[in-house]
Amino acid sequence: MTEQTKYLLDESKLPKAWYNINADLPVPPAPVLHPGTLEPVTPDFLSVLFPMSLILQEISTERYIEIPEPVREIYKLWRPTPFIRARRLELALDTPAHIYFKYEGASPVGSHKPNTAVAQAFYNKQEGTKALTTETGAGQWGSALSMACNFFDMDLEVYMVKESYYQKPYRRMMIESYGAQVFASPSNRTQFGRALLDEDPDAPGSLGIAISEAVEAAATSGGTKKYSLGSVLNHVLMHQTVIGLETLQQFEMAGEYPDVIIGCAGGGSNFAGFAFPFVHQNLTEGKTTQVIAAEPAASPSLTKGVYTFDYGDAARMAPIVKMHTLGHSFIPPSIHAGGLRYHGMAPQVSALVDAGYVEARAVKQLDTFKAALTFLRSEGIIPAPESSHAIKVAIDEALQAKESGERKVIAFNLSGHGHFDMTAYDAYLHGELEDYEYPAEAVAEALHQLPQAMAV
Ligand SMILES: *Cc1c(COP(=O)(O)O)cnc(C)c1O
């Protein structure tokens, strides 16, 4: 029993419902505001961008929401995902701690992102949406949504941050292989993109800018296209809870319960998907698991940002939400964990950090790659640079347990593999990778541009 390494659930154990933390949040949710009027948004405004079923999920306070059968059928292509005891890593660290990880890199595109992409494509298809628009940073989200749109026979336009479009061409090729169109952002297809290119034809782009372009493309399509976001929103976080719901069952198989759980946080979706079912246990079952969100020191919205109302995108077209933010005009340094380069953080994660239910830690780039190598040389899997932030914190916790002699149970979410990130590993191995200092001045400047009515 104690020798077991992998805990695999059979398909019949795939969760039948997602967990909605809005039912249990200890703090009331802040209103979502219209980017023009700064008044609470109406479903009418949101329905330009999203199908009604997803808008209703966004504001729902029902604890469990049934996963539609066609979505579960597609989940079965790779779910339930493995839960693995990292015994060789424990040995390498010589720690009495038990280290487990949930492996979301097992999905066809190599990350957790299809968990929501498939659901969003399904609900759009059901309501007659003909095409979706979206943004992608390094390409993880674009590849997940292009696979999902292909399954539901829908067109997809992807605005890909220009820097990645040229530097990480394999994700772009993958998106095109699934049948979607990809445009380098800023592009000349939108008014916002054209204005930026007029100013600087070589503008490298950012996630906030690509979101603005995708939102504009949907909003000006005369109702034929809707917009899809891969993180941050409540419904996205909820779709990801299949991760934690499976993990709870797998911990039961292992006969243990975690003392510490860790996820990396960019917009907050894989972290929330893994952690919220455990936060639920903390809030309602008297459990006391420590819950840690790991973020990059170069883009530290949770540890250095302000908890206030801010726009979701650079062009101030997306709704305003209350979140930990570095300012919507802030463009984070070019760290290799592209999926963690966002100015804000999901409102639900932000609220839980603000109220002390979730802890946040910032991790430096060189330390994450060092942790990634320790992990891959013991467990074999090459982790995504994003996921390596969680690994770094897990290793820190395991080493601390070694010092104190505690037999702690530590679990982290391995949100994806790093097979498309080998140039980053190459740079690290050849000593060409650097740490970025926290860009305090750029953040201070961006924080001056918070929505007027809400400025703190
Ligand atoms: C996109 C991505 C992330 C960051 O997004 P979240 O919404 O914070 O989960 C983390 N890991 C991987 C592998 C990703 O692709």
Side-chain angles (χ1 to χ4, degrees):
M1 196 65 187
T2 50
E3 293 306 308
Q4 200 167 332
T5 297
K6 290 194 306 300
Y7 296 90
L8 303 176
L9 291 172
D10 119 355
E11 278 177 21
S12 66
K13 298 288 184 354
L14 180 66
K16 295 195 162 58
W18 294 297
Y19 168 60
N20 179 13
I21 202 164
N22 271 349
D24 299 304
L25 266 191
V27 279
V32 174
L33 307 179
H34 187 287
T37 63
L38 306 183
E39 297 289 327
V41 287
T42 57
D44 269 1
F45 169 75
L46 292 175
S47 69
V48 173
L49 299 180
F50 303 106
M52 200 44 77
S53 43
L54 291 178
I55 295 171
L56 292 175
Q57 285 185 5
E58 189 64 20
I59 55 176
S60 170
T61 52
E62 229 170 289
R63 185 165 290 110
Y64 291 100
I65 293 187
E66 193 184 327
I67 306 175
E69 207 45 46
V71 173
R72 290 184 82 238
E73 282 308 310
I74 292 176
Y75 277 177
K76 284 179 190 169
L77 293 174
W78 71 94
R79 305 209 70 86
T81 56
F83 183 60
I84 299 170
R85 169 96 181 263
R87 292 183 183 278
R88 293 176 50 86
L89 178 63
E90 292 169 13
L91 281 176
L93 299 174
D94 188 26
T95 175
H98 289 188
I99 308 174
Y100 292 85
F101 65 93
K102 177 73 166 161
Y103 188 40
E104 288 298 303
S107 85
V109 298
S111 77
H112 64 286
K113 292 209 168 71
N115 297 331
T116 185
V118 170
Q120 292 191 45
F122 167 80
Y123 288 114
N124 270 288
K125 181 71 180 183
Q126 204 185 31
E127 291 186 32
T129 306
K130 294 282 179 273
L132 289 178
T133 70
T134 198
E135 72 290 331
T136 196
Q140 285 273 20
W141 171 241
S143 38
L145 193 62
S146 60
M147 179 183 80
C149 283
N150 161 67
F151 286 154
F152 289 103
D153 197 20
M154 260 191 299
D155 290 337
L156 172 65
E157 270 175 33
V158 181
Y159 292 85
M160 183 168 186
V161 175
K162 196 201 278 171
E163 204 172 27
S164 306
Y165 181 96
Y166 290 110
Q167 285 173 9
K168 300 189 173 167
Y170 293 105
R171 283 270 170 206
R172 169 180 64 73
M173 295 169 198
M174 199 170 163
I175 298 169
E176 289 172 342
S177 300
Y178 284 116
Q181 284 182 291
V182 191
F183 307 102
S185 166
S187 78
N188 57 18
R189 295 176 56 86
T190 65
Q191 217 177 356
F192 186 60
R194 286 191 293 274
L196 290 173
L197 289 175
D198 278 350
E199 244 171 66
D200 176 9
D202 298 320
S206 74
L207 203 55
I209 291 168
I211 293 176
S212 299
E213 287 209 281
V215 166
E216 183 184 328
T220 57
S221 70
T224 59
K225 297 174 194 169
K226 298 253 189 254
Y227 166 72
S228 169
L229 186 62
S231 189
V232 182
L233 300 175
N234 298 348
H235 67 266
V236 178
L237 272 53
M238 185 187 74
H239 297 155
Q240 294 294 354
T241 58
V242 282
I243 304 171
L245 292 168
E246 286 177 7
T247 308
L248 275 170
Q249 298 184 66
Q250 287 162 311
F251 258 122
E252 222 164 275
M253 287 171 85
E256 303 216 76
Y257 195 83
D259 297 304
V260 188
I261 64 163
I262 303 154
C264 68
S269 75
N270 89 86
F271 166 77
F274 181 58
F276 282 3
F278 291 94
V279 174
H280 180 212
Q281 299 294 309
N282 281 359
L283 290 172
T284 63
E285 302 293 327
K287 300 282 193 197
T288 53
T289 300
Q290 187 184 4
V291 184
I292 309 175
E295 67 178 5
S299 185
S301 52
L302 284 173
T303 51
K304 293 278 172 81
V306 178
Y307 183 46
T308 186
F309 286 88
D310 195 10
Y311 302 95
D313 70 326
R316 302 181 299 228
M317 292 173 64
I320 294 171
V321 295
K322 190 170 185 192
M323 61 180 173
H324 282 84
T325 179
L326 298 164
H328 60 275
S329 62
F330 173 66
I331 300 183
S334 297
I335 51 167
H336 283 279
L340 305 185
R341 291 180 65 212
Y342 181 61
H343 67 271
M345 183 56 66
Q348 290 173 331
V349 174
S350 293
L352 288 166
V353 167
D354 186 62
Y357 294 88
V358 168
E359 196 181 306
R361 281 193 211 162
V363 178
K364 289 188 168 170
Q365 174 155 270
L366 287 177
D367 290 339
T368 64
F369 277 89
K370 183 167 178 241
L373 284 197
T374 304
F375 176 78
L376 72 90
R377 287 178 183 175
S378 19
E379 298 296 322
I381 297 172
I382 297 179
E386 290 85 354
S387 320
S388 304
H389 289 69
I391 297 176
K392 162 66 178 153
V393 173
I395 290 179
D396 284 349
E397 287 292 310
L399 291 176
Q400 207 195 330
K402 177 180 172 179
E403 218 154 90
S404 61
E406 277 174 287
R407 215 218 64 186
K408 263 194 179 172
V409 178
I410 300 166
F412 65 89
N413 190 36
L414 187 51
S415 54
H417 67 61
H419 297 181
F420 293 88
D421 299 284
M422 294 320 297
T423 47
Y425 278 93
D426 194 46
Y428 177 74
L429 292 169
H430 291 92
E432 289 156 12
L433 210 61
E434 49 179 339
D435 273 334
Y436 288 95
E437 283 313 306
Y438 164 62
E441 268 175 40
V443 171
E445 197 179 307
L447 288 175
H448 277 126
Q449 294 172 38
L450 292 174
Q452 277 311 313
M454 302 298 161
V456 284

